[in-house]
């Protein structure tokens, strides 16, 4: 199987040093508009694995997000990274990312439509990789974490939804009644991008909906704690210890729901 050049760079990731990490661009369309995500998996594994839809942070589909997807995938999951902006929109800085993310966040119906379309693209990858389409979940980071929660509120029939340092607000809290699977929110207790009123609103929303949910609040962690490139103390900063704990929490839930 031919690997992309990016796969070579990914071979140094912890736990994947001897594995064959494959990264493939996957073009698709939504209402005739071109999108392009990435399929990431370890081709040393031949048995069908569960699949994860991954929604990246506001920088969208790029090499850094592919590395994070490879970390999430390991040898346990097949990951499809969603393109939430369209193929023509690839932010190169924070201002461009903010503009792209704001366009999607301001239209939750559009956000849900694009996320659900990406789930269907993931399901269709059985011709590319051994994938168990009966065992699917969704994970997201920052903007992507908030997107995954909206995907859950849309009633998507997945097994689990995991948000890493994502926004927790929604314009329609009652839509939490549509959630069909466990929700795990991994949150930095000192995250200035997600104020306490958002956290309190999310907790109230979950309680009112009777959702199976968990919120893990990590002391000393701010926004983007899983992002090695984040280096703005007190605002956006990588926290390797908390990142490892958060990924372990994700795996614990996925081990539980994937039979």
């Amino acid at each position: 199987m031919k690997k992309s050049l990016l796969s070579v760079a990914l071979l140094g990731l912890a736990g994947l040093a001897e594995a064959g990490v494959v990264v493939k661009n996957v073009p698709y369309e939504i209402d005739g508009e071109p999108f392009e995500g990435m399929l990431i998996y370890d081709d040393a594994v031949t048995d069908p694995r569960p699949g994860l839809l991954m929604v990246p942070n506001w920088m969208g589909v790029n090499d850094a997000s592919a590395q994070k997807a490879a970390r999430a995938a390991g040898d346990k999951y097949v990951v499809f990274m969603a393109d939430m902006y369209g193929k023509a929109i690839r932010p190169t800085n924070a201002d461009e990312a903010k503009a792209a993310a704001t366009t999607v966040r301001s239209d939750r119906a559009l956000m849900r439509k694009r996320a659900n379309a990406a789930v269907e693209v993931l399901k269709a990858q059985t011709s590319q990789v051994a994938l168990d389409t009966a065992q699917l979940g969704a994970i997201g980071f920052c903007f992507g974490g908030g997107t995954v929660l909206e995907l859950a509120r849309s009633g998507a029939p997945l097994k689990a939804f995991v948000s890493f340092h994502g926004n927790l607000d929604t314009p329609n809290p009652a839509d939490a009644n549509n959630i069909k699977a466990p929700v795990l929110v991994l949150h930095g207790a000192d995250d200035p991008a997600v104020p306490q009123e958002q956290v309190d609103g999310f907790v109230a929303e979950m309680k009112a909906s009777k959702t199976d949910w968990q919120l893990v609040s990590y002391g000393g962690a701010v926004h983007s704690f899983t992002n090695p490139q984040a280096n703005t103390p007190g605002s956006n900063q990588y926290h390797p210890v908390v990142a490892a704990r958060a990924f372990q929490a994700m795996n614990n839930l996925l081990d539980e729901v994937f039979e």
Side-chain angles (χ1 to χ4, degrees):
M1 183 178 296
K2 185 177 179 181
K3 303 176 179 63
S4 72
L5 292 178
L6 179 57
S7 69
V8 176
L10 294 175
L11 292 178
L13 290 176
L16 295 173
E18 302 301 323
V21 178
V22 175
V23 179
K24 292 183 175 181
N25 294 329
V26 179
Y28 60 104
E29 291 188 355
I30 303 174
D31 294 338
E33 181 181 353
F35 289 74
E36 188 169 83
M38 287 182 176
L39 184 67
I40 300 102
Y41 59 94
D42 178 357
D43 73 349
V45 181
T46 57
D47 292 333
R49 282 155 287 174
L52 298 178
L53 175 72
M54 173 181 149
V55 185
N57 65 24
W58 69 355
M59 294 302 294
V61 177
N62 59 22
D63 289 0
S65 290
Q67 292 183 38
K68 186 171 289 185
R71 177 178 183 178
D75 60 2
K76 299 177 68 172
Y77 314 115
V78 172
V79 175
F80 177 68
M81 190 195 317
D83 178 2
M84 292 298 294
Y85 302 149
K87 186 177 179 179
I89 300 176
R90 291 291 184 264
T92 60
N93 56 53
D95 288 341
E96 292 176 0
K98 182 177 181 180
T102 298
T103 296
V104 177
R105 275 184 50 82
S106 64
D107 186 343
R108 298 303 173 97
L110 176 67
M111 176 185 278
R112 294 180 182 192
K113 182 174 187 175
R114 291 181 175 179
N116 275 288
V119 172
E120 295 307 310
V121 176
L122 170 59
K123 290 179 181 179
Q125 299 310 305
T126 52
S127 63
Q128 301 296 317
V129 62
L131 171 66
D132 183 351
T133 57
Q135 307 289 346
L136 301 178
I139 66 173
F141 300 84
C142 300
F143 161 79
T147 300
V148 163
L149 294 179
E150 284 299 316
L151 178 64
R153 295 176 182 114
S154 77
L158 305 181
K159 296 284 190 177
F161 302 91
V162 182
S163 168
F164 293 81
H165 41 82
N167 294 98
L168 305 178
D169 61 313
T170 182
N172 301 298
D175 285 353
N177 290 306
N178 300 324
I179 296 174
K180 293 181 169 63
V183 169
L184 172 62
V185 168
L186 304 164
H187 170 67
D190 300 319
D191 186 346
V194 185
Q196 188 59 43
E197 52 266 32
Q198 257 193 54
V199 177
D200 293 343
F202 174 77
V203 170
E205 174 194 358
M206 293 295 102
K207 287 183 175 180
S209 68
K210 309 299 184 184
T211 298
D212 178 352
W213 66 282
Q214 301 174 70
L215 187 151
V216 183
S217 188
Y218 295 104
V222 293
H223 203 58
S224 301
F225 60 75
T226 66
N227 184 357
Q229 285 76 47
N231 190 28
T232 306
S235 177
N236 301 271
Q237 189 168 24
Y238 181 50
H239 195 311
V241 173
V242 169
R245 291 174 180 170
F247 277 108
Q248 185 59 57
M250 175 197 79
N251 282 316
N252 289 346
L253 175 62
L254 296 179
D255 284 346
E256 176 187 321
V257 300
F258 292 149
E259 299 173 358

